[in-house]
Amino acid sequence: MFLENTVNHKEQFGWIEVICGSMFSGKTEELIRRLKRAQFAKQKVEIFKPTIDTRYHDEMVVSHDANEIRSTPVPAAANIAILAQGCDVVGIDEAQFFDDEIVKICNDLANQGIRVIVAGLDMDFKGNPFGPMPALMATAEYVTKVHAVCTRTGNLANYSFRKPDNDKLVMLGETEEYEPLSRAAYFYAMKKDEEK
């Protein structure tokens, strides 16, 4: 379980927390939990998500089990730097969909004394590191990897298997399009797809 950093008021630096994992692992749920705690503590919080993520709501960050928090959709990472001024805490959902500038922006915000909490898929549907997530994980002070439950084996799942035959890297979807799989189940599912 993640515990908030002890604040040293002499050191005016923030930090970066990354919450990563597969689809249906609870990334957004954990992001919302941390952000609501900061709001309860009367900290100035801003939440951002990419404009392309309209699955549940245009302006809310919504978890699969319908928890939600107000957010600002932005088309590019550069918008976050402008809109986050004066915040204590910045939350970013679906970070894998942002351009690589998100890494510099998160580090700049942390260097300004802001706590930055980022959630995103660590791997794409092919099992490869996804977008800026590896660099965010490398520069973060805290990385929390959450897991789903494999729909085929019941083991811990860390792969997002895409059901439809579609090779586009970005394809928004839910349980109809994706299922969380363990390493073994993912290996056999990919092998079966290759044999088609």
Side-chain angles (χ1 to χ4, degrees), residues 33-153:
R33 185 189 74 80
R34 293 183 193 184
L35 293 171
K36 284 187 175 179
R37 286 180 54 152
Q39 286 177 333
F40 184 76
K42 307 278 190 265
Q43 295 177 329
K44 187 170 186 311
V45 176
E46 284 292 335
I47 304 105
F48 301 96
K49 72 175 191 171
T51 52
I52 64 167
D53 183 17
T54 57
R55 287 173 296 172
Y56 291 119
H57 197 279
D58 289 343
E59 294 182 357
M60 302 291 275
V61 167
V62 183
S63 67
H64 293 297
D65 64 353
N67 274 343
E68 61 184 26
I69 194 166
R70 186 198 58 76
S71 71
T72 303
V74 291
N79 300 91
I80 296 171
I82 298 162
L83 298 170
Q85 296 307 311
C87 292
D88 300 309
V89 181
V90 169
I92 302 168
D93 196 30
E94 303 293 355
Q96 75 278 356
F97 293 144
F98 282 107
D99 51 279
D100 288 340
E101 192 177 359
I102 191 77
V103 180
K104 179 184 183 317
I105 286 164
C106 287
N107 279 285
D108 288 348
L109 292 173
N111 291 343
Q112 294 168 30
I114 297 171
R115 175 185 178 194
V116 182
I117 311 169
V118 181
L121 292 166
D122 52 355
M123 290 187 288
D124 63 23
F125 75 102
K126 293 181 178 178
N128 297 319
F130 204 158
M133 289 300 290
L136 283 167
M137 292 163 64
T139 59
E141 280 80 359
Y142 305 99
V143 177
T144 304
K145 183 153 182 167
V146 290
H147 296 85
V149 175
C150 179
T151 55
R152 300 183 188 188
T153 67

Side-chain angles (χ1 to χ4, degrees), residues 151-167:
T151 55
R152 300 183 188 188
T153 67
N155 293 330
L156 287 181
N158 61 318
Y159 289 89
S160 302
F161 178 71
R162 183 181 289 171
K163 297 176 191 178
D165 188 19
N166 180 333
D167 272 348

